Amino acid sequence: MSANTRMGLTKQYLRYIPAGNFNIIASQNCNLKFVTLEGQEGRFVAVGACEHIIIWDLRLGEKAQVLPGEKAVVTAICASPNKRHLATGYSDGNVQIYDLKSAEVISIFSGHRSEVTALAYDSYGHKLASGSKDTDVIVWDTVAETGLCRLSGHKGPITQLTFMSQHPILITGSKDSFVKFWDLETQHCFKTLVGHRTEVWGLTLVKDDQYLVTGCGDAELRVWKLSYKDPDLENKSSVDHLTTTLELIDLHDTDDPNHPLQCHKVGSLLRAGKGRLVSMFSDGSGQVVGCHGTDNQLELFYFCTDDEAQVRLKKRLRKERKKKLSTSENEPQEETPNQENLQLSLRDEVKRLVPIKVSHKPKSLDLVLGSGGELRVAVNLSNNTVELYTIQTTVKNSEANCLRSIASQGHHSEVRAVSFSNDNLAIVSGSAEAIKMWNRPSQACLRTVDSGYILSTVFVPGDRHVLAGLKNGILLIIDIAAGDVLEEIPAHKEELWSICLQPDLRGCVTGGGDKTVKFWQFELVVDEKSESKAKVLSLLHLRTLKLEDSVLCVKLSPNGKFVAVALLDSTVKIFFVDTFKFYLSLYGHKLPVLCMDISSDSTLIATGSADRNVKIWGMDFGDCHKSIFAHEDSVTGLQFVPRTHYFFTCGKDGKVKQWDGDTYDKIITLQGHVGEAWALAVSPNGQFVVSCGADRVLRLYEKSDQPLVLQDEQEEEREQQEVLATGEQTVIPGQTGLNLPSKKTVGSEKAAESILECLEICEKYKEQLAEHEALQAASTQTLPGPQPPLLMQALNVSTPDDFLLETIRRIRPSDLEEALLLLPFNSVCEVLQILPALIARADQIELVCKILVFLLKLHHAPVVANKTLLVTLTQLQKLAFTKVQELRDLIGFNLYGMQFMQREIETVEGVQLFRDATVEKKKGDKKKKQRQKLKRSMIVLNS
């Protein structure tokens, strides 16, 4: 008996891989940011598009760049101060940093346990703070690519955060209604603002950190004055006029009175918009604050400069003086108590700009202020649209103008139906407001036709027309080339749920909510409206099949004998096409069947129901071959691959799955949608699959040459589930200082395994070298040494020390601490014994010292108690101090050398500038003398 007969043949399949996403312009749950490309500011804007990031060129209205993601959805975006990097937060808690020039990921940080909600860079771009729904804030070092600290204190998801530019202070806002100030040097919260009644939805710093503006669920934007006092001067002689109210506000603050930063409320800005504050941002200079609520209005507040504020104060005082003189001449005593009017207030420093009315509800905005006072506002709308407005801040009552609206590249509502053309080159999709045709290779939108609420679509043979069923029961015939609706046929009185072509391609069948199935025939009729009297496509009603319940889905068998009808009573009834005689009834689903399909050989029918099950039936006797629990929610789409018994399903759980109708195995789970998946379509050649969903993304999958084995796929799914379970915060008992900002991931576990494997290989190789030396000492001849292990040869190293250093160097910096944390103590001792030789070398001193400090901090007590390591620790202490001092000297020498070069360059440029100015002055003097000579000669002539 052969091995294949004993074990059974393993069936292999070809893998379907993602081939592109389209129809998405900007995700609703992600903010947008202006980015600088090609040195141009205010032209490009980055938006989240599910798992990818799209950078739109707002001048051309096209995609300038796409930063590819993996599987998690982008939830937050932040641009670095140097305009070269873009930080993105994802729904799985990871943070990635992209290089905008190369579109590559340069850093990955894993620390949060849930969705990242806010990101902020410091003024230098060296630190990145991320806030999450897990209520934690993590500060990352973007240079060393590691986490600095985890700040825990909020009791609600973080909504927004910002760094102060002059001081190491981070300000965070949360849904727990608190705003906290964190000292990054001591890593603790020294002040909490409790003046908000509901969740804090936004905060921003303006005017060089002079003011903090916060917004919550009411119509009030609270403005706080930030002052940095001298810690030595505890008692001030002058008392501010708002001290009494400030003490009432700060009564319950967890305030550190010794901290030099003081925060006092100075007033409020009232929003005119309705609902809670949704988002609030300021431009890079901190001059303009933009915000919006749940209505269609963007509000802008301009914070004047000190000179402008003084001018406004003088103007206000002049008006008040004129008013008092005109109204009350007999009461001069009232001027003395109003001394506070003589001081600057918010009404002098803040100017309300003309609000911007947008077409739909805004979800996020970003601002950029030009040198000439032009303010550009980019806004992401809820209908999958991005708009760019411009407004002049220097002109009084300047109206906003819409420069660009990116709207035609996607549907403005959820896509409910999708289908392939017969030549596999075009895709048609329908939503609540329009129907669009897409080119599959380029994924570009070719045509847009306004219509009603689309529920079903199908291409007419010839691919020149499309049939679309509407929610009101009307059947549309659409000419693709002209982009017009040729005819509106009142096919059904209620929803037209399903359209199916006849096998002979001469007509179609429709099923609707009015309990009827109608058969139609294609015909050409003379268009009386046109002058040429050309013939156009129309439909002729042939027959009607009346049923007892609403029809949800209709399918014709490919052999043309049967029509299957899914009813609202959870059954599927099969009739003969020619006589409408009842043939079979498929009952077994607990909830109505929403989708179904019949295989190409007319032997199998698969039904997907709202009860989350897919049942496979035989068309000969109507027996149920298999019932599969397919999705975690209702099954909304099902279609067989032509000429096979494989079929695809999609459900309201957002997943797209492929199944084998013969063995009843799940072949693969494809990357699905965020939210519900509403429909899918398989191309006639079986090479492509397209699905649509609530995230407004059309996802295209392509059949590849990669073989797929079921056992391997099942193992990968199990590993992914383990990954979701392992993402927990790393807390070391008894050591509060080692509450690491990172979390355990698959990458850190693999890194720890690679270190352990490296130590094991090094030990064996050292034993071989010791044996070789012993044999060489006993022998008079020169014996060949042992070959290095294959892994050492692959890494191109020859010694065990180099092997360990190269292995650690290849670990991602954000995973290094977690990997060292997973090492057992005996392996830690081995690493510590190798470190002196690594520190003595000139390269990688920073990395080796980082490992040394972390391991000693982690295992201080057992390492010090281990007498065998005392000599090693003494060596490490001497070497580390010496090498670090050498490194500091080198850096200091280079720093002062660069400063000297800077002074030399400035001196040379100054001399050149002085020389140019001297030459210009001489030219001006020469021209002046010539003009004077000319004047003198004219005077002489006149005299």
Side-chain angles (χ1 to χ4, degrees), residues 35-37 46-55 65-90 92 94-109 119 121 128 142 145:
V35 295
T36 302
L37 288 180
V47 298
C50 278
E51 65 271 15
H52 303 312
I53 298 163
I54 299 176
I55 298 179
Q65 200 175 40
V66 177
L67 305 178
E70 293 183 353
K71 293 186 178 180
V73 179
V74 180
T75 56
I77 294 176
C78 182
S80 65
N82 60 7
K83 313 297 183 184
R84 291 168 54 186
H85 302 130
L86 188 71
T88 57
Y90 293 88
D92 60 355
N94 286 349
V95 177
Q96 293 187 0
I97 299 179
Y98 288 89
D99 188 340
L100 289 175
K101 287 187 178 179
S102 62
E104 294 180 353
V105 179
I106 58 175
S107 300
I108 300 177
F109 301 121
L119 290 170
Y121 273 101
L128 174 68
T142 58
E145 299 184 22

Side-chain angles (χ1 to χ4, degrees), residues 177 179 194-204 212-224 245-246 249 264-280 289 291-293 299 301 303 346 352:
S177 76
V179 174
V194 295
H196 306 87
R197 298 177 182 175
T198 57
E199 298 94 340
V200 176
W201 291 102
L203 58 88
T204 184
L212 171 69
V213 184
T214 61
C216 57
D218 53 18
E220 182 182 353
L221 296 181
R222 293 162 175 80
V223 183
W224 310 79
T245 48
L246 298 178
I249 293 171
H264 303 301
K265 184 179 177 183
V266 294
S268 299
L269 305 174
L270 292 179
R271 293 191 297 113
K274 298 179 181 178
R276 69 168 180 85
L277 179 76
V278 176
S279 70
M280 178 172 63
V289 174
C291 65
H292 64 87
E299 297 181 67
F301 300 93
F303 280 75
L346 277 183
R352 188 188 296 265

Side-chain angles (χ1 to χ4, degrees), residues 320-333:
E320 289 180 359
R321 201 176 299 117
K322 286 181 181 180
K323 188 176 180 181
K324 286 180 181 178
L325 289 174
S326 61
T327 55
S328 58
E329 297 179 353
N330 300 325
E331 297 178 359
Q333 299 86 1

Side-chain angles (χ1 to χ4, degrees), residues 754-768:
S754 65
I755 295 175
L756 291 174
E757 184 182 17
C758 170
L759 293 174
E760 185 179 354
I761 292 174
C762 289
E763 186 179 357
K764 291 182 179 179
Y765 185 54
K766 286 178 180 177
E767 291 177 358
Q768 293 176 2

Side-chain angles (χ1 to χ4, degrees), residues 817-832:
E817 290 186 353
E818 288 288 337
L820 296 174
L821 192 63
L822 294 172
L823 295 179
F825 182 67
N826 58 346
S827 301
V828 171
C829 295
E830 294 179 23
V831 173
L832 287 174

